[in-house]
Amino acid sequence: MWAMIVKEFRQLRRDHRTLAMMIFLPIVLLVVFGYAASFDVPKIPVNVYGRGAEELAAALRPPFEVREVDPDGWASEAETALRDGEVPVAFLATFEGPHVLIDGSELFTAKATQGALAELAQSVPGAPSTYPRMPSVEILFNEGLETSAIMVPGLAAMILLFVGTVITSLGVVRERQAGTLEQLAVMPLRPWDVFLGKVAPYFLVASVDMVVVVLAGVLLFDVPFRGQVAVLALGAVLFLFVTLGLGVLISSVSQNQGQAIQLALMALLPQVMLSGLIFPLSSMAAGVRWIGYVLPLTYFVRISRGVMLRGAPLGALWPSFAYLAVIGAVVFGLATLRFHRSLAPARTRGEREAVSAR
Amino acid sequence: MTPLAESLAVSRRFGPLLAVDAVDLRVGPGEVVGLLGANGAGKTTLIRLLLGLLPPSAGSVRLFGEAPSRATRRRIGYVPQGLGLYEDLTPRENLAFAQAAFGGEAGELPGDLGAVADVPVGRLPLGIQRRVAFALALAHRPDLLVLDEPTSGVDPLARARLWEQIRTAAEAGAGALVTTHHMEEAEECDRLVVMADGRVVAEGTLPEIVGDARVVVVETPGWAHAFERLEAAGLQAALVGRTLRVLGVGPREVRGALGDLEARLSEAPATLEERFLELTLGRAAA
Amino acid sequence: MTFGVRGLTVRFGPQVALEDVTLEVPPGRVTAVVGGDGAGKTTLLRVLAGALAPTAGEVRRPGPERIGHLPASSGTYPDLTVRENLAFVAAAYGVPATAARERADELLSRTGLAGALDRLAGELSGGMRRKLGVVCAMLHRPELLVLDEPTTGIDPVSRADLWWLIARAAAEGAAVVLSTSYLDEAERAAWVLALDAGRTLAEGTAEDIVAAVPGAVCRAAERPSGDLARYAWRRGATWRVWLPEGVAPPAGPALELLRPDLADAVTVAALARELAHAGGDRR
């Protein structure tokens, strides 16, 4: 039995991927739950509009953080700012007192705002006339503060990620595992044909899945769809380039489906945890939040939520689009290169054997 | 007559390793050429060079008289050792994909495969899978067949039948290049090319290659003892049935090694395999 | 003590893998089981090695610690080095470390593996890995050595080394049984059992089997037409024709009488069986 233990350890030592998983996963989970998993929002950025905005802004204290003061702006500017995702909360300085517009699609910020406002009203009895009573509050975009409303767009994003990365990598690696890649190399097919031909079905499947999820959300869970379908579709296409490219890349460094799944999971888990899908980015410690800013999923979640819940236009979301486009080009480009190379490898098994036989 | 496939002093280097060293090879229409060699002899690299999957480091490769290209691939039928079939597809679906890729007229699966045409390949016995792979390679009527160990692990009757297909294609004008480790398969070829260390060490028909190489046959009741003594004398002895065959030396040396052991010595012509060993090991020692 | 099986039948659900097979595997000799894919060779060897229980019939084999088994597909751990593989086998079979090392060194150096001690088994060429597999299987000097297709797909040089190991095991007194689809190789064994679809097709020494061919075998330059066509098969550039007892040679192109070899003999047996079952389901 001892021999068995020794052998198993030796094999484990060599299995770098499993080792990586054994070390990597606990670290990720530790980081996430230590620094990232929180629903508390420490800071709430706000814009203040209306005549009297300056005094109102001066009176506001943390957690509110004033970003912009616009005495000439009014309700429509406030709504636009919220819709475009500039800030989650806007104060309007009316004669009857401050009127607060809250972006319901930022669920936890909205709840934190409600809490903060209640505190404000209580903590200032007999305050100056700017605070006669509890400010009036209007929640935009997700009036009921439903969790499903923010989860469904996030789910759509996750489907694209899952199909793109995991399923695609399995499909491509299956070719290598079965040894049919060799046959493909000898057929009169262009490498481009093979690559696109392999990837296109997954593109289609992911798109269909996403449409189903969105429809289910809208029809069954009363999730609003206020924006333009075309904008969401464009975002989805760009994001798919990223995830499909990632899937093909993973398969190009995997020999079999088991390895592909391991890598795909390691790529998937941090994205799900740290992209703002579940835990808001603003709640994460700064040292960890930067990871969220690098992950592609973060940007598609923004696009998805922005378009569905707030009806944000393309112009407002352009940084997210730009990021996805660039990352997509890089990842997809790399994947294409590697795939081309695997169809006409410089070294075959035979040569490697010949070298090792020396 | 233009050869179907031709390599002219082709070499291929991988870093410090010269995998293929100035090899001349020709496959003409209607002929079946067998490529033999130990692992690392360069067979696989040479095949890849001929198929146009690898560029040569020196020399040139010609397929149907021109440089390898996508168009030339259309005229090649390739069956790799792993058969290259999609296991979750049926033979009919595999054929459809192959035909779409190769163009050409729609072919049909041979009659006797009709019963299994709609069963996923992965569930078919290996013998039938092999026949499907062959059918696929022949479907677009290629001018050149490249087969990697086509009948490895196959019983003699099935082997004869598979080779009949190859021969029929050759009689219709196609050429075939077959790599093999297997002497029974080598016997089926018109011409053999033997490689070792990246070079061609022998070429010709089977009788030409074996020539008059001979071995010493030792018949003795106590073959185990004889074995030990021959070993001790540094001689290469192989057990065949209950006799021993010794390569590379004459009867006198064998008798000397055996000493006083009772044994009957005779000489016999070497088999292709024994000649192959002589060629390969001789080269390695050089 | 002679090992072997008698009246062995193995069924997997409705599928019959072996039917009423009898084989003796005596010590100090090499016994070969031949047949194509699906003939039942692996099943028979697994029963002999104790990895599979028979559905019916008798099996004689030593205890598991006295058996060495090399399966067709693996036999070595690819992510362990050669040294580590051997160490594991030695420990598993209770071979003392020094004895194991000496024996391993001798076997490895004689088969060209001495320089590969610290290489990962997965990185070795097919032939080298197979040699390592056989060395692992015979490290503990088993009484019964069972090798499943040890030489299939292996280059001739490695095959020569493998046969050296096999001969060595037999010289040490082991009962060696191996399966192969190469008939020229089967001729090297002292006893041959040919299987076809789970049943015995022919058995005996190579000479016995050849002598038992009914009728005569000829060589023809072309495929014979008419009735004789079904008795013909391709071999190299010519055809072989089997003339069963009572079938007269045809008029026309001369048929050259041949002394059949083992491949011819087995082919005749398979052909005879196929023609007898004409119309039935043949794999």
Side-chain angles (χ1 to χ4, degrees):
Chain A
M1 187 193 66
W2 181 248
M4 201 61 207
I5 297 179
V6 169
K7 171 194 80 79
E8 206 62 33
F9 265 114
R10 280 183 172 152
Q11 284 182 298
L12 195 58
R13 191 167 30 115
R14 299 252 166 69
D15 187 354
H16 294 138
R17 282 186 202 217
T18 307
L19 273 182
M21 250 177 81
M22 272 171 36
I23 298 174
F24 184 72
L25 277 182
I27 292 184
V28 166
L29 290 174
L30 213 63
V31 163
V32 166
F33 287 105
Y35 297 107
S38 160
F39 296 112
D40 308 322
V41 177
K43 283 190 303 209
I44 305 175
V46 307
N47 285 357
V48 188
Y49 300 89
R51 278 194 285 272
E54 276 116 356
E55 292 100 347
L56 182 49
L60 287 177
R61 279 171 310 197
F64 296 115
E65 202 180 68
V66 178
R67 284 286 155 81
E68 197 184 305
V69 179
D70 184 6
D72 297 320
W74 196 236
S76 62
E77 281 78 19
E79 278 174 24
T80 309
L82 255 53
R83 182 202 65 183
D84 290 351
E86 271 179 44
V87 283
V89 174
F91 277 81
L92 294 179
T94 72
F95 285 120
E96 294 90 18
H99 180 64
V100 186
L101 295 176
I102 303 182
D103 177 2
S105 77
E106 293 285 338
L107 188 60
F108 301 105
T109 310
K111 294 196 173 173
T113 308
Q114 285 180 320
L117 288 175
E119 257 180 47
L120 258 177
Q122 281 170 6
S123 66
V124 197
S129 59
T130 17
Y131 286 116
R133 58 175 187 278
M134 174 79 176
S136 69
V137 167
E138 187 184 336
I139 300 183
L140 299 178
F141 307 130
N142 180 13
E143 291 83 7
L145 288 183
E146 308 269 355
T147 313
S148 61
I150 62 161
M151 281 320 242
V152 167
L155 203 62
M158 219 161 75
I159 296 243
L160 291 185
L161 180 64
F162 186 70
V163 174
T165 319
V166 178
I167 309 289
T168 308
S169 71
L170 284 181
V172 178
V173 117
R174 195 180 23 208
E175 194 88 54
R176 180 186 316 242
Q177 221 176 336
T180 43
L181 210 55
E182 205 183 5
Q183 265 289 33
L184 284 180
V186 178
M187 287 185 177
L189 296 169
R190 276 180 303 239
W192 193 238
D193 291 333
V194 179
F195 182 67
L196 281 185
K198 268 223 133 312
V199 161
Y202 300 106
F203 193 94
L204 212 64
V205 169
S207 310
V208 168
D209 276 350
M210 189 174 125
V211 167
V212 168
V213 165
V214 169
L215 275 177
V218 168
L219 297 174
L220 294 177
F221 298 108
D222 289 331
V223 174
F225 196 110
R226 299 200 169 95
Q228 294 165 307
V229 174
V231 175
L232 183 61
L234 179 62
V237 165
L238 287 178
F239 187 56
L240 267 180
F241 272 111
V242 176
T243 57
L244 286 174
L246 206 56
V248 176
L249 269 179
I250 289 177
S251 73
S252 74
V253 297
S254 308
Q255 300 306 316
N256 56 54
Q257 298 194 308
Q259 288 186 338
I261 284 257
Q262 278 180 317
L263 268 186
L265 277 179
M266 284 202 277
L268 204 70
L269 197 65
Q271 292 208 61
V272 171
M273 295 272 129
L274 298 173
S275 63
L277 182 69
I278 303 176
F279 309 114
L281 273 180
S282 44
S283 313
M284 297 182 196
V288 166
R289 203 183 316 149
W290 69 266
I291 304 177
Y293 288 131
V294 171
L295 301 171
L297 181 62
T298 313
Y299 298 93
F300 185 65
V301 168
R302 283 187 186 170
I303 293 176
S304 173
R305 285 183 180 155
V307 169
M308 280 185 73
L309 301 176
R310 304 196 307 263
L314 184 55
L317 294 166
W318 74 264
S320 300
F321 278 92
Y323 188 79
L324 286 181
V326 168
I327 295 273
V330 169
V331 171
F332 205 73
L334 260 173
T336 318
L337 267 174
R338 283 201 66 105
F339 193 83
H340 276 50
R341 204 119 43 85
S342 71
L343 278 186
R347 276 258 182 131
T348 65
R349 220 181 137 183
E351 281 94 58
R352 269 186 259 125
E353 284 178 5
V355 175
S356 56
R358 304 230 140 208
Chain B
M1 197 167 48
T2 334
L4 299 171
E6 190 175 17
S7 83
L8 299 160
V10 84
S11 296
R12 174 71 199 194
R13 195 175 275 282
F14 293 107
L17 170 68
L18 193 55
V20 173
D21 190 357
V23 168
D24 290 324
L25 179 78
R26 285 176 63 258
V27 179
E31 69 170 342
V32 179
V33 177
L35 190 56
L36 271 85
N39 270 348
K43 296 197 307 292
T44 322
T45 316
L46 183 58
I47 298 276
R48 296 192 91 93
L49 286 166
L50 282 171
L51 288 172
L53 293 176
L54 271 186
S57 308
S60 67
V61 165
R62 292 227 157 319
L63 278 178
F64 315 110
E66 46 182 83
S69 65
R70 243 169 25 105
T72 55
R73 283 196 203 162
R74 261 192 196 136
R75 298 167 66 182
I76 298 180
Y78 177 47
V79 182
Q81 211 175 347
L83 299 182
L85 297 171
Y86 288 100
E87 307 229 312
D88 356 355
L89 299 183
T90 67
R92 212 191 291 275
E93 290 165 350
N94 267 283
L95 184 63
F97 176 62
Q99 285 178 328
F102 281 103
E105 335 93 52
E108 280 289 317
L109 285 175
D112 49 349
L113 286 178
V116 295
D118 294 307
V119 176
V121 164
R123 285 203 254 139
L124 296 171
L126 202 49
I128 308 244
Q129 285 189 21
R130 213 178 280 271
R131 289 184 27 220
V132 174
F134 261 67
L136 254 55
L138 292 168
H140 57 285
R141 303 200 204 300
D143 294 314
L144 177 65
L145 281 174
V146 179
L147 310 170
D148 196 354
E149 303 218 28
T151 58
S152 170
V154 171
D155 65 85
L157 191 53
R159 170 175 307 126
R161 293 191 170 138
L162 282 168
W163 270 97
E164 205 177 310
Q165 282 190 290
I166 301 175
R167 281 281 162 197
T168 312
E171 274 156 23
L177 179 61
V178 174
T179 63
T180 183
H181 281 327
H182 185 176
M183 299 305 133
E184 280 173 23
E185 206 153 51
E187 287 175 359
E188 305 273 353
C189 304
D190 295 323
R191 191 156 59 84
L192 295 171
V193 174
V194 183
M195 284 183 74
D197 286 336
R199 291 188 141 259
V200 173
V201 295
E203 191 177 344
T205 65
L206 199 145
E208 281 168 12
I209 293 186
V210 175
D212 29 324
R214 302 177 83 70
V215 295
V216 177
V217 182
V218 178
E219 291 171 80
T220 168
W223 69 265
H225 293 303
F227 194 62
E228 277 165 41
R229 298 230 180 151
L230 290 167
E231 289 279 290
L235 294 177
Q236 284 261 69
L239 174 67
V240 178
R242 268 173 279 224
T243 64
L244 295 172
R245 290 167 71 98
V246 189
L247 279 180
V249 294
R252 207 199 324 266
E253 289 99 326
V254 176
R255 171 53 66 195
L258 288 175
D260 57 355
L261 202 68
E262 185 193 321
R264 197 175 82 99
L265 298 182
S266 55
E267 277 193 294
T271 62
L272 176 61
E273 180 147 358
E274 285 161 344
R275 177 80 182 116
F276 176 86
L277 284 173
E278 234 183 341
L279 285 168
T280 313
L281 295 173
R283 168 122 190 128
Chain C
M1 161 88 196
T2 294
F3 309 113
V5 298
R6 199 201 303 274
L8 177 68
T9 299
V10 177
R11 283 197 206 99
F12 297 114
Q15 203 190 353
V16 177
L18 286 175
E19 177 120 0
D20 196 22
V21 173
T22 297
L23 176 69
E24 298 244 312
V25 184
R29 291 216 312 210
V30 179
T31 308
V33 179
V34 299
D37 318 306
K41 309 190 294 290
T42 300
T43 310
L44 174 57
L45 262 53
R46 287 183 71 204
V47 169
L48 274 169
L52 188 62
T55 311
E58 189 189 300
V59 185
R60 279 184 321 280
R61 68 173 123 79
E65 71 287 352
R66 307 303 312 147
I67 298 180
H69 181 204
L70 180 64
S73 48
S74 49
T76 51
Y77 291 103
D79 39 2
L80 293 180
T81 65
V82 170
R83 206 193 291 273
E84 289 166 351
N85 263 288
L86 289 164
F88 175 65
V89 171
Y93 282 97
V95 182
T98 354
R101 207 181 1 256
E102 275 171 20
R103 182 160 167 81
D105 281 342
E106 195 208 338
L107 295 177
L108 291 177
S109 61
R110 188 51 187 74
T111 51
L113 281 173
L117 273 174
D118 290 306
R119 300 238 318 265
L120 287 183
E123 286 172 7
L124 297 174
S125 70
M128 289 173 84
R129 196 143 91 225
R130 242 347 135 59
K131 287 189 273 192
L132 176 62
V134 175
V135 171
C136 283
M138 56 189 276
L139 192 69
H140 59 292
R141 293 180 201 266
E143 283 174 38
L144 174 65
L145 185 61
V146 181
L147 306 172
D148 198 348
E149 301 225 34
T151 56
T152 299
I154 302 297
D155 66 280
V157 179
S158 298
R159 224 183 304 141
D161 287 337
L162 279 166
W163 267 94
W164 180 85
L165 285 169
I166 290 167
R168 176 59 183 266
E172 287 171 352
V176 182
V177 58
L178 56 83
S179 65
T180 178
S181 52
Y182 298 159
L183 283 155
D184 51 356
E185 205 164 67
E187 282 175 338
R188 298 174 72 159
W191 189 266
V192 177
L193 170 71
L195 287 178
D196 177 53
R199 288 187 181 71
T200 301
L201 192 61
E203 70 181 306
T205 64
E207 296 91 21
D208 288 346
I209 296 182
V210 166
V213 171
V217 176
C218 315
R219 173 164 43 212
E222 284 165 4
R223 181 180 211 153
S225 50
D227 250 9
L228 277 186
R230 60 208 170 113
Y231 295 125
W233 69 94
R234 197 92 199 224
R235 183 94 180 250
T238 60
W239 292 81
R240 292 281 203 272
V241 184
W242 170 44
L243 296 174
E245 306 268 3
V247 173
L255 295 179
E256 187 193 326
L257 209 59
L258 264 195
R259 185 168 183 280
D261 63 9
L262 189 59
D264 291 325
V266 172
T267 309
V268 167
L271 202 52
R273 180 169 289 183
E274 191 180 272
L275 292 171
H277 288 167
D281 192 24
R282 173 173 164 78
R283 272 215 284 179

